[in-house]
Amino acid sequence: MASISYLTQFSLQKSRFSSLYKPQSATSGLRTSRQVISRTNHLEFSPNKIESFPAPVKFAGKSLGLSGLNHLLKHPEFCIAKAAAAAADAEGHEIEISNGLSKPSESFAQRFPALVTGFFFFTWYFLNVIFNILNKKVYNYFPYPFFVSVVHLLVGVVYCLVSWGVGLPKRAPIDKELLALLTPVAFCHALGHVMSNVSFAAVAVSFTHTIKALEPFFNAAASQFVLGHQIPFSLWLSLAPVVIGVSMASLTELSFNWIGFISAMISNIAFTYRSIYSKKAMTGMDSTNVYAYISIIALVFCLPPAIFIEGPQLMQYGFKDAIAKVGLNKFLSDLFWIGMFYHLYNQVATNTLERVAPLTHAVGNVLKRVFVIGFSIVVFGNRISTQTGIGTAIAIAGVAIYSLIKANIEEAKRKAAQTHAS
C-alpha cells in the first residue's frame, strides 16, 4: 500500500492549558519530565501561565500521538516565553519549578537569617538579665552561694538528662580519654561559677560584672605567659582602659567589700583557665553534649564545698529563715527558675555564637554586659557614684575595643589559613 502523506496544520492560541499539566492515564497522559525534575515520583501542579506563542506551526506525518506532540514541543518555532509552576512533593513540601529545575522551598530561617539571629541575641540577653535579677533577689533573703551554685547546675543536669531521654539531642558516648580531657574544664567551670555567685551575693550585680570585665586581661596574660602565644601590642594597649576603668569603679563603689572583689577576680582566673583547657579538649562532639557533660562533672565538684561549708548553717536556720520570709512554694519556685534560666541562657548563648562571626560575637558579649549592668541598676535601685559610673563606662569601652581588635586579628588569621590551604 502506497504511503499517504497528510498535511496537518495546528493553530495554538493563548491558553492556560491547565489540563496539560495534570496527571492523566497512560494512554492519553502527557509526561512533563522535561520541564520538571522532582525529588519524588508524585507531583501535583498548579496551572502554568504561558504568555506567548508563535504563529501557527505546520508538520507532516502519519499520525500525531504522544511522540508527535513531543516532536512539536521540541520544534524551534515552538517557544514558551515564560513558564513557572509550583509543585508539592509526596511529603507536602512546596517546590518551586523554574527553568526545568525544582527548587526546594526555603525555611523561614533561610529566608530571614538576620531576623533569626537577632531573635537569638534578644533571647540570650533576656534570659541573662532575668537570671541575674532573679539570682540577686534570692540572695537578698537566702545568702548561700555555694548551695545556690549547686542548684543552678542540678537543674541544668536534670534538663540535660530529660533531653537525652527523649533524644533531643541524642546523647553522645563518652570514654575515659574524653572524660580525662573534660574534667579540668569542668573543674574550672565549677570554680568560676561558684566564685561568681559568691561575688553576686556579697556586692551589687553591676559591680561584679564590672570586675568581670577584666576577664580579657587575664585571657591575654594567660595566652602570653602560659601558652607562649605572642600577643600584639595593640591588644595590650586596648586593655589599659579596662584596667583603669575597673580601678576607678572599685575605689568609689558603694557596695564594695573584699569578699565580692576577690571572688570575682578568682572567677576571672578560673574562666581563663577553662578557656585554655577547652582548647586542649577540642573534640568532634557537638557543643550541647559537651556542655551537658561539663555540667554533670562540675556538679560533682560543687557538692562537697556546699555540704561542708554551708550545710550545717542550712540545716540549723538557713532553710527555715528563707521559708519564713517568702514561703515554701516561692522559695522552691525561685530556686527552680534561677537554675533553669542559668542553663537556658548558657545554652542559647552557645547556639547564638555558633551563628555569627567572631566580630559579631565580640560586640554581642560587650552589649550583654551593658544590658545586665544597666538593668540591675534600674531594678534594684543601686546608687552609684559619678566616678563609678565613669569607670564602668571606660571599662566597657575598653572591652569593646579589645574585642574588636582581637576579632579582626582572628579573622585575618582565618583568611590567611584558607588562602594557604587553597
Side-chain angles (χ1 to χ4, degrees):
M1 180 182 294
S3 60
I4 304 175
S5 298
Y6 295 97
L7 180 64
T8 308
Q9 178 176 349
F10 297 94
S11 177
L12 302 176
Q13 302 297 331
K14 292 183 179 180
S15 167
R16 299 186 63 88
F17 289 103
S18 301
S19 60
L20 183 60
Y21 296 92
K22 293 186 179 292
Q24 298 180 7
S25 65
T27 57
S28 61
L30 299 179
R31 299 185 181 271
T32 58
S33 59
R34 294 184 181 273
Q35 269 61 38
V36 180
I37 301 175
S38 174
R39 294 172 297 179
T40 58
N41 295 327
H42 176 70
L43 294 175
E44 291 183 3
F45 297 86
S46 62
N48 274 15
K49 183 176 181 180
I50 303 176
E51 296 187 357
S52 61
F53 293 90
V57 183
K58 295 182 179 181
F59 283 89
K62 294 181 179 181
S63 62
L64 183 63
L66 184 60
S67 60
L69 184 55
N70 283 339
H71 181 71
L72 168 65
L73 294 176
K74 290 187 291 182
H75 194 275
E77 293 188 18
F78 186 93
C79 60
I80 301 178
K82 293 181 180 179
D89 63 14
E91 298 175 354
H93 303 298
E94 288 189 355
I95 303 175
E96 180 184 350
I97 310 300
S98 177
N99 296 328
L101 297 175
S102 65
K103 299 180 180 179
S105 61
E106 293 181 340
S107 65
F108 182 85
Q110 291 173 323
R111 287 183 293 172
F112 306 101
L115 188 61
V116 174
T117 301
F119 174 77
F120 269 87
F121 269 102
F122 170 80
T123 306
W124 175 23
Y125 291 177
F126 174 78
L127 293 174
N128 198 304
V129 168
I130 295 299
F131 163 73
N132 279 275
I133 292 174
L134 185 57
N135 201 47
K136 183 61 177 179
K137 286 185 175 181
V138 169
Y139 284 135
N140 287 339
Y141 69 84
F142 188 70
Y144 298 94
F146 287 87
F147 177 80
V148 172
S149 298
V150 169
V151 172
H152 292 162
L153 294 171
L154 179 61
V155 174
V157 167
V158 173
Y159 179 91
C160 293
L161 293 177
V162 173
S163 298
W164 279 342
V166 298
L168 295 173
K170 184 178 180 181
R171 187 182 70 84
I174 187 171
D175 52 24
K176 292 182 179 180
E177 182 180 356
L178 183 56
L179 181 63
L181 290 174
L182 292 181
T183 298
V185 181
F187 174 78
C188 294
H189 179 72
L191 179 61
H193 179 55
V194 170
M195 289 296 101
S196 294
N197 279 286
V198 171
S199 182
F200 285 138
V203 297
V205 173
S206 58
F207 181 61
T208 298
H209 278 281
T210 302
I211 301 300
K212 288 175 70 65
L214 280 173
E215 191 173 323
F217 174 81
F218 288 97
N219 284 334
S223 297
Q224 179 88 46
F225 303 112
V226 177
L227 298 179
H229 298 162
Q230 188 63 35
I231 302 299
F233 179 73
S234 58
L235 272 182
W236 283 115
L237 193 62
S238 68
L239 289 171
V242 181
V243 177
I244 294 172
V246 172
S247 301
M248 289 178 60
S250 301
L251 290 174
T252 56
E253 171 59 38
L254 300 178
S255 67
F256 179 87
N257 65 56
W258 284 107
I259 294 178
F261 179 81
I262 293 174
S263 59
M265 295 293 282
I266 295 175
S267 172
N268 284 335
I269 297 173
F271 285 137
T272 296
Y273 276 92
R274 181 187 66 176
S275 177
I276 293 174
Y277 286 119
S278 294
K279 292 178 181 178
K280 295 181 179 180
M282 294 295 289
T283 66
M285 189 183 298
D286 63 280
S287 59
T288 302
N289 275 290
V290 169
Y291 183 69
Y293 282 121
I294 289 176
S295 297
I296 294 172
I297 302 171
L299 177 61
V300 175
F301 284 120
C302 288
L303 280 171
I307 294 173
F308 291 108
I309 296 176
E310 295 178 343
Q313 301 175 32
L314 289 171
M315 297 305 295
Q316 288 180 1
Y317 52 83
F319 291 128
K320 293 179 181 179
D321 290 348
I323 294 172
K325 290 177 182 178
V326 299
L328 178 61
N329 290 337
K330 179 170 176 53
F331 177 55
L332 295 178
S333 175
D334 285 350
L335 291 179
F336 169 77
W337 284 113
I338 57 175
M340 183 60 70
F341 280 121
Y342 172 77
H343 180 81
L344 290 178
Y345 102 72
N346 277 284
Q347 190 61 64
V348 173
T350 302
N351 297 337
T352 302
L353 300 183
E354 288 178 344
R355 297 180 57 87
V356 298
L359 183 60
T360 308
H361 170 193
V363 175
N365 257 330
V366 174
L367 290 178
K368 180 210 72 174
R369 203 170 296 283
V370 172
F371 267 77
V372 172
I373 291 174
F375 274 97
S376 65
I377 292 174
V378 172
V379 171
F380 294 107
N382 298 331
R383 292 194 309 157
I384 60 173
S385 66
T386 302
Q387 181 174 325
T388 299
I390 295 174
T392 301
I394 293 175
I396 294 298
V399 173
I401 295 171
Y402 167 85
S403 301
L404 293 175
I405 294 175
K406 185 179 179 182
N408 286 328
I409 292 174
E410 294 296 328
E411 184 67 15
K413 289 182 180 178
R414 186 184 64 81
K415 290 182 178 179
Q418 289 181 344
T419 303
H420 184 267
S422 59

